Amino acid sequence: MNNIIELCYCNGSVLVWNVEDAHRLRSEHRIVGHFIGCLPSLPRQDQMLGLPMELMTEEVFHLVTRGIAKIVEFKQLNLPAEEHHKQKREDMLKASFSDQQVIFKEERIRQLMQMADKIIEGKRRKTNGIVDGELVLQEEMKKIPQMSEDLMMIQIFTRPFWTCEGDVADYSINQTLRCRVFSDLWEKGYYITAGEKFGGDFLVYPGDPFKFHSHYIAVCVDEHQLLTPYFLIQKGRLGTNVKKTVLLCSVNGNGEIMYQSLNWNGK
Amino acid sequence: MLSAKELLDLRSRKAHPRNLPTMPPKDFIPTHSAEETATINAIVDEKMTYLKEERAERRNLLTKADWLPQEKVAKIEKKLGGGWDVYGFDKNGKTYLQPEEALFLIELSKLELWYSGTPVSVQQAYQILLVDELCSSLKYRVYSHLCRQGYRLVRRLLFGSSAAEPSDYDCIPHFLASTSASVLIQFSDLESLPESIRNRESTYVVNKKDFLHFCVDREEVATSISSASTTNPLFSGKTKPLLLGNYIGDPYYTNDGLYNPTDEELNQTEDDDLQICYDVYSPGRHFRKSNPGPPCFALAIAEWSSNVPSLSCLERFKRRCGPKTVPLVAVSGAGSDVSFYQLKGVVSPL
């Protein structure tokens, strides 16, 4: 597959609205993102979230510079709907309702057939005579009511039901230290997620975060930044408390990424 | 577009929702064995089937609302399904939804939001509703995070804060001076009252005996106010006002010599980073939007990259919350979950 993945720029966030794209980003490109929507089937819980998937700036930078993805913006979604879309939606709803009607009837007939013996038996007892089984069933089938439109299902679309062309987004990313560290760690084969909840820049996983604990907390520091003892103690303590190694990441004069790990021996 | 068969399957599935996928325990070191790869692929594939699901709801349970871009609210045509005690606000007999409420209800498959004559997709809703001047993406993330856990969030209205305003005490001198048995109270700011009350009455006759009785019960609390706050003339009478509650019963304020901001510092409200966005009520059935009572938390929202607010800013935020309300700051950003910080004054152990 070499088609470029479209990332949707929407009110300051970069989102993925397509499950296939989210899957590809994860399995082919080791980009895991972060789901922020409610899961359609179980929306009132926080264990697992649903589409859209939001990407960090560094993930976006990584994907765009490698030509894996491009950023688009769907400006037309801000505009009032076009007439032929309205028409299409009404037609779709009508077609869906009549299909649901047919399937509902089929289902009822299926249930009726399962009960056929009992129904005929019952009729026989009532009339005390011989009745035509076929005829009884025909009668019963005629009695099946129409499905009320109120009971029919209406779909709430995740994405627009018409094909939507994205415009080039007015969005650019500067190559920050964080971006360079992200890409370098990625090159080394790691999975990377945001590290704010551990007080660092990134969390670095040896494999898919679904299955593995993270090994490192990456903290980006400028090469010339003077590190105070406070800073080192803070990060050292943090690392030991959460059983992870703190990595201080910086770029040296030759543009190489340098990593220093903190090892905490004290009590 | 789901086929009719899929839609009806979804309908029967709604009655028996399946559980979340179970996750095997995490490992530390990958072995890259075929078995391990298969496990991971299975997890990913299972998760993707959940993510692939579309939303649908029965027509008689799906509420329709119209998005009004000028008014920045969604107007409900007819309320269907449950939960309307919690969402929306009433005005002139109609119910309206704030952008974040509308979007959350769409995500719950409870609402079909119409814009210019056609229902919007979830993607379009994210685009038209999460505009910065309506409700920023950050705000919505915090909103939906808490709503998913069952909390009720109500936008803090800008004009009426729950902390007492001077005009709230207009009635108190009457209580002290009047010799009649009852006092007429006129609320100076009707806007800050719940709608249901506003429509019925704007003045109240309060039986003085009841009020004083109530005060006596609370005397103990009221007298524990520090000397710093007794400079307020309202505290010089025999009966202490009950409403000025921010520091009643909070030992942090009864110890003098801690942080005592000047009035000037406290009254400055412009350019505060910590503005109260939402009043948060705990989960439960007793919540009524017409009479929510004092909130459990007052919520301000910040970003990971924002600066640490100054002490006076934190103090203002704390005092703007009601007496029984816990000030809470929610922080989030791209790629990360929401974290919460609670502000609490601590008394030094000595």
Side-chain angles (χ1 to χ4, degrees):
Chain A
M1 278 205 262
N2 40 26
N3 49 332
I4 292 185
I5 294 172
E6 288 193 343
L7 308 175
C8 167
Y9 178 69
C10 168
N11 298 320
S13 324
V14 178
L15 307 174
V16 176
W17 282 99
N18 187 325
V19 185
E20 287 75 37
D21 288 347
H23 194 177
R24 271 182 67 195
L25 287 174
R26 187 172 198 114
S27 51
E28 291 174 24
H29 304 294
R30 273 191 281 117
I31 295 292
V32 294
H34 185 243
F35 288 91
I36 58 170
C38 297
L39 197 66
S41 53
L42 293 157
R44 289 185 187 273
Q45 48 81 35
D46 252 350
Q47 300 299 307
M48 183 183 168
L49 296 180
L51 289 173
M53 178 169 99
E54 188 185 33
L55 296 175
M56 286 190 285
T57 319
E58 293 74 22
E59 289 174 316
V60 178
F61 182 82
H62 176 86
L63 291 170
V64 171
T65 47
R66 263 148 229 265
I68 298 164
K70 63 174 183 184
I71 309 169
V72 295
E73 199 174 354
F74 294 96
K75 289 181 183 149
Q76 52 177 302
L77 293 181
N78 291 322
L79 306 174
E82 290 169 36
E83 278 310 315
H84 64 275
H85 290 150
K86 286 186 208 174
Q87 191 55 47
K88 186 177 173 197
R89 197 261 169 191
E90 271 170 37
D91 295 345
M92 277 162 57
L93 192 68
K94 236 181 246 167
S96 172
F97 275 13
S98 68
D99 285 356
Q100 289 187 47
Q101 187 71 259
V102 171
I103 289 178
F104 172 76
K105 194 140 193 175
E106 280 170 6
E107 177 66 10
R108 288 299 291 266
I109 291 177
R110 203 179 55 80
Q111 287 172 352
L112 201 72
M113 288 321 227
Q114 281 178 348
M115 307 278 287
D117 291 347
K118 277 190 183 169
I119 295 171
I120 296 169
E121 181 62 39
K123 277 276 174 199
R124 218 164 255 165
R125 229 180 291 143
K126 239 185 199 171
T127 50
N128 261 336
I130 308 142
V131 284
D132 185 352
E134 272 301 309
L135 215 64
V136 170
L137 288 179
Q138 292 285 336
E139 286 287 308
E140 288 296 316
M141 273 181 213
K142 272 185 203 152
K143 281 189 209 159
I144 295 175
Q146 288 275 310
M147 185 190 189
S148 154
E149 289 203 346
D150 268 352
L151 299 178
M152 292 196 186
M153 296 295 277
I154 295 181
Q155 182 179 358
I156 299 168
F157 289 88
T158 307
R159 291 186 291 154
F161 56 81
W162 65 90
T163 343
C164 220
E165 289 291 325
D167 315 301
V168 178
D170 182 19
Y171 180 79
S172 62
I173 310 167
N174 294 326
Q175 189 187 29
T176 58
L177 175 61
R178 274 170 64 107
C179 290
R180 300 184 63 168
V181 170
F182 181 95
S183 291
D184 194 65
L185 284 168
W186 187 92
E187 293 285 351
K188 293 183 193 300
Y190 292 108
Y191 281 77
I192 304 146
T193 67
E196 279 98 351
K197 65 177 167 187
F198 281 97
D201 286 299
F202 303 114
L203 292 180
V204 185
Y205 294 79
D208 192 306
F210 281 158
K211 183 67 184 146
F212 297 100
H213 293 288
S214 64
H215 282 186
Y216 309 115
I217 302 172
V219 178
C220 299
V221 283
D222 199 61
E223 195 201 1
H224 300 294
Q225 189 181 333
L226 292 174
L227 301 183
T228 61
Y230 281 142
F231 179 85
L232 293 175
I233 290 169
Q234 259 175 25
K235 301 300 175 194
R237 285 261 180 211
L238 170 74
T240 30
N241 280 350
V242 297
K243 296 199 183 107
K244 297 185 198 307
T245 307
V246 172
L247 282 186
L248 301 180
C249 319
S250 56
V251 182
N252 72 8
N254 300 329
E256 296 159 325
I257 314 282
M258 308 297 286
Y259 299 97
Q260 298 275 335
S261 70
L262 276 184
N263 194 356
W264 190 257
N265 283 324
K267 280 187 178 177
Chain B
M1 173 80 191
L2 293 177
S3 71
K5 180 90 181 67
E6 289 168 316
L7 281 170
L8 290 175
D9 283 349
L10 207 59
R11 180 169 160 225
S12 46
R13 243 201 339 261
K14 281 218 163 187
H16 313 281
R18 56 176 172 167
N19 293 328
L20 284 175
T22 45
M23 298 285 281
K26 286 191 179 188
D27 293 334
F28 283 96
I29 314 280
T31 57
H32 301 291
S33 64
E35 192 188 343
E36 187 186 81
T37 319
T39 321
I40 295 172
N41 285 343
I43 301 173
V44 173
D45 287 346
E46 191 183 13
K47 289 235 174 194
M48 292 301 158
T49 61
Y50 278 80
L51 295 170
K52 241 181 230 159
E53 283 178 350
E54 285 280 316
R55 292 173 175 80
E57 187 50 280
R58 261 161 52 183
R59 196 170 91 157
N60 62 353
L61 293 176
L62 188 63
T63 303
K64 265 189 192 180
D66 238 323
W67 174 241
L68 310 173
Q70 296 295 315
E71 292 83 349
K72 299 175 180 171
V73 287
K75 183 170 138 194
I76 291 178
E77 267 182 32
K78 193 180 170 193
K79 291 182 225 171
L80 298 170
W84 294 106
D85 280 338
V86 179
Y87 302 105
F89 63 95
D90 301 325
K91 201 173 175 184
N92 304 329
K94 296 267 181 217
T95 305
Y96 296 86
L97 292 170
Q98 301 286 5
E100 63 273 29
E101 293 177 313
L103 182 53
F104 186 65
L105 289 169
I106 295 173
E107 291 207 74
L108 292 185
S109 342
K110 281 176 159 294
L111 184 79
E112 192 179 38
L113 186 70
W114 288 60
Y115 172 48
S116 68
T118 192
V120 302
S121 57
V122 183
Q123 181 178 358
Q124 191 175 9
Y126 264 74
Q127 183 145 340
I128 60 174
L129 299 177
L130 297 189
V131 184
D132 271 347
E133 64 262 26
L134 301 173
C135 172
S136 67
S137 312
L138 181 70
K139 245 183 175 180
Y140 180 69
R141 184 176 320 194
V142 177
Y143 177 87
S144 69
H145 175 86
L146 284 168
C147 282
R148 273 195 292 267
Q149 311 203 342
Y151 288 96
R152 321 296 197 203
L153 272 69
V154 178
R155 267 196 193 194
R156 173 65 71 104
L157 302 172
L158 289 174
F159 43 82
S161 68
S162 81
E165 300 287 331
S167 58
D168 290 349
Y169 305 123
D170 289 352
C171 58
I172 290 177
H174 299 294
F175 275 106
L176 300 176
S178 162
T179 47
S180 63
S182 62
V183 178
L184 183 77
I185 299 180
Q186 180 106 41
F187 281 95
S188 38
D189 188 4
L190 283 178
E191 285 293 299
S192 60
L193 283 176
E195 166 116 354
S196 55
I197 304 174
R198 213 187 303 162
N199 289 343
R200 270 183 278 137
E201 332 190 17
S202 58
T203 55
Y204 289 86
V205 176
V206 174
N207 200 325
K208 205 169 155 190
K209 205 177 73 193
D210 294 345
F211 184 80
L212 289 178
H213 181 68
F214 186 53
C215 288
V216 171
D217 281 352
R218 296 297 184 87
E219 190 107 80
E220 219 180 62
V221 181
T223 47
S224 70
I225 298 165
S226 77
S227 56
S229 54
T230 48
T231 49
N232 189 323
L234 289 172
F235 289 85
S236 55
K238 198 173 176 187
T239 311
K240 306 288 189 286
L242 293 168
L243 296 169
L244 203 70
N246 242 345
Y247 18 74
I248 294 177
D250 187 340
Y252 176 59
Y253 292 99
T254 55
N255 282 16
D256 294 320
L258 288 173
Y259 174 62
N260 260 330
T262 62
D263 287 347
E264 228 168 275
E265 272 179 307
L266 286 177
N267 291 333
Q268 177 227 321
T269 49
E270 301 298 306
D271 309 325
D272 253 4
D273 292 330
L274 293 180
Q275 296 290 350
I276 301 176
C277 295
Y278 292 107
D279 285 325
V280 183
Y281 300 89
S282 51
R285 286 191 192 152
H286 45 266
F287 177 82
R288 292 286 172 274
K289 66 186 178 193
S290 53
N291 181 21
C296 294
F297 305 104
L299 188 71
I301 296 173
E303 245 174 307
W304 285 113
S305 51
S306 39
N307 289 325
V308 178
S310 69
L311 195 53
S312 64
C313 172
L314 288 174
E315 195 62 33
R316 279 196 294 277
F317 173 50
K318 250 194 101 172
R319 296 203 180 189
R320 246 179 273 132
C321 304
K324 289 173 188 159
T325 303
V326 178
L328 201 65
V329 184
V331 187
S332 187
S336 70
D337 297 327
V338 187
S339 301
F340 294 95
Y341 297 89
Q342 178 187 331
L343 300 181
K344 199 177 172 192
V346 177
V347 186
S348 95
L350 282 179

